[in-house]
Amino acid sequence: MDHSASPLIFNSYFKRMRLNWRYGLFPVRPDFLHEFMKKVKKSPLIGLNVTIPYKERIILYMDELNEDATRIGAVNVIHNREGRLIGFNTDSLGFRWVLCGHLSFKIKKAVVLGAGGAARSVIYSLHTEGTEEIVFFTRSKARLKKVRRDFAFITGLKGYLWEKVKIKEKAREADLIINATPVGMFPYMEETPLDIDFSIKKNHVAFDLIYNPLETRFLKEAKDKGMTTENGVRMFIYQALESLKIWWKPQVEERLFIQSSEEVLNATLLERG
Ligand code: NAP
């Protein structure tokens, strides 16, 4: 959990707006999650973000889910309405924002590496944006079955067990390859979920949801091959903006939030190298 840059962007915005608000990290051990959620209900906290690896498990503690969170089966934002916990999914909004606003190619075929909370948001968003074939990979048979079952309404969805040759075969044919695993994240920056040692198509896009480091090994190899690349920064900022709008509806100054977040993230992450 302490990899999260959320406190940086929220607290920097609160400071600029002269708000007496504070965003903090609560690292929670799995065996303490139940106790922690009981405490949250009675606390004055307005809301929480949920991160790896709790986005699916946290649903158990929600009193209500919004439509996206229900369809996706993962929650990354909680609104505490006087002890009633409402679960939302803004990862999907962040991903869609990047897909539609910044990647101007029509994505017909996509490969998603991973099948956790973020991968579920990505799969759902690709489906809502009309991607015809979505192929995901996981190491876990149980997850494979679950994602296939939960997303049975997505006709173009195919899932496979993690197998390098198969991943490359599918990645070669795809317009977009998304890393929705934590592989390559700080401090394990020498790792990559996929060696890009195959020929690519025109307008091939590699999207890594990781934002720390700004350029993962996966993205560097993709860029060296001539692919268009996108890191997780824009998605991260946008999902945060949507979180803040849930907790504190109309008052968010969107442009200022995005600008202040870009500044603080780029400065901090570039400094870390
Ligand atoms: P999660 O729910 O724990 O899922 C992680 C997925 O990655 C699972 O499918 C998992 O295992 C797979 N995985 C983990 N280690 C692997 C390895 N060594 N090889 C192959 N697969 C591996 O986590 P999450 O919440 O989905 O987050 C995933 C990543 O997305 C994280 O890096 C997170 O920081 C990033 N993220 C970024 C944003 C953003 O706004 N930019 C938003 C959300 C998440 P199985 O093989 O068992 O399926």
Side-chain angles (χ1 to χ4, degrees), residues 47-273:
L48 293 103
N49 282 129
V50 184
T51 186
I52 185 169
Y54 294 123
K55 289 181 183 177
E56 294 163 75
R57 209 178 315 168
I58 207 74
I59 287 180
L60 270 176
Y61 302 97
M62 297 299 106
D63 297 298
E64 196 182 316
L65 292 179
N66 86 331
E67 196 188 331
D68 274 359
T70 308
R71 300 280 271 182
I72 293 164
V75 161
N76 73 301
V77 184
I78 301 174
H79 190 193
N80 184 11
R81 292 186 192 151
E82 291 167 1
R84 197 172 158 72
L85 303 184
I86 325 288
F88 297 82
N89 190 302
T90 64
D91 282 340
S92 57
L93 299 176
F95 181 78
R96 247 178 275 171
W97 186 65
V98 179
L99 199 64
C100 302
H102 296 277
L103 300 174
S104 49
F105 312 112
K106 172 81 185 146
I107 307 296
K108 283 194 182 151
K109 291 186 181 185
V111 164
V112 183
L113 304 175
R120 293 175 72 99
S121 306
V122 164
I123 290 169
Y124 177 73
S125 307
L126 287 166
H127 162 69
T128 57
E129 294 306 325
T131 301
E132 290 159 18
E133 184 181 291
I134 306 163
V135 182
F136 72 94
F137 289 90
T138 167
R139 298 163 306 171
S140 145
K141 274 190 185 162
R143 267 190 206 269
L144 180 66
K145 259 176 90 174
K146 188 168 187 322
V147 175
R148 276 183 183 158
R149 193 187 56 223
D150 292 351
F151 289 133
F153 63 91
I154 304 181
T155 46
L157 182 68
K158 295 177 186 155
Y160 298 97
L161 279 177
W162 194 275
E163 207 254 294
K164 276 187 186 164
V165 176
K166 188 78 184 168
I167 295 177
K168 283 186 190 173
E169 176 199 317
K170 290 293 177 189
R172 208 180 291 122
E173 297 166 359
D175 309 299
L176 172 66
I177 311 169
I178 301 137
N179 177 27
T181 78
V183 182
M185 192 157 77
F186 179 85
Y188 304 105
M189 282 132 74
E190 74 291 350
E191 295 179 4
T192 180
L194 172 68
D195 292 307
I196 316 253
D197 53 6
F198 47 89
S199 54
I200 56 152
K201 297 198 311 192
K202 194 169 171 272
N203 291 343
H204 213 139
V205 185
F207 191 157
D208 201 327
L209 301 196
I210 294 172
Y211 58 82
N212 184 12
L214 292 171
E215 187 175 67
T216 55
R217 190 181 136 196
F218 169 67
L219 287 191
K220 179 165 187 335
E221 288 181 7
K223 195 158 95 187
D224 290 347
K225 271 277 177 187
M227 293 173 76
T228 300
T229 58
E230 178 75 31
N231 65 21
V233 168
R234 285 194 180 115
M235 171 175 166
F236 179 65
I237 293 174
Y238 201 77
Q239 64 74 30
L241 172 65
E242 291 295 322
S243 304
L244 194 53
K245 278 158 69 179
I246 288 167
W247 300 323
W248 188 48
K249 281 180 186 112
Q251 290 90 334
V252 186
E253 301 228 14
E254 297 198 10
R255 287 234 315 269
L256 188 68
F257 182 87
I258 291 171
Q259 188 197 335
S260 123
S261 303
E262 277 173 350
E263 279 171 20
V264 69
L265 274 182
N266 283 323
T268 314
L269 299 175
L270 281 175
E271 202 174 86
R272 269 191 214 166

